[in-house]
Amino acid sequence: MTTMPTSAKDRSAAVVLQRWLDFQNALSGERKYPVQQFKSFVEAARRYIELSKGDPLIHRMSPRQLMD
């Protein structure tokens, strides 16, 4: 069972992961480069970076799951 992220950073990390997966799915299904999905991923990542600015550690979910 998956739990809902509670903090703003957790929610933001979950959005980054979902946008990454959306982008990867779009890459595999289109002949043209999926610019909109890429921009959505970048915007979500920038929001997460802004929320994490000054934190000594980043959310453990995002980098690990992005690399899987």
Side-chain angles (χ1 to χ4, degrees):
M1 183 166 96
T2 307
T3 60
M4 292 296 294
T6 55
S7 75
K9 284 193 316 186
D10 288 345
R11 288 189 301 272
S12 182
V15 170
V16 170
L17 177 59
Q18 184 58 53
R19 296 298 181 263
W20 175 255
L21 295 173
D22 293 344
F23 175 57
Q24 292 301 309
N25 286 334
L27 278 174
S28 66
E30 294 184 17
R31 291 188 341 196
K32 289 176 54 177
Y33 190 79
V35 174
Q36 185 57 43
Q37 287 85 351
F38 177 74
K39 287 181 179 181
S40 292
F41 166 67
V42 169
E43 288 172 16
R46 286 181 178 154
R47 280 191 298 273
Y48 175 75
I49 290 166
E50 188 62 33
L51 285 171
S52 300
K53 190 186 288 186
D55 286 356
L57 300 173
I58 61 173
H59 196 285
R60 68 176 190 252
M61 180 184 71
S62 298
R64 184 182 69 227
Q65 289 184 338
L66 287 177
M67 300 311 286
D68 286 344

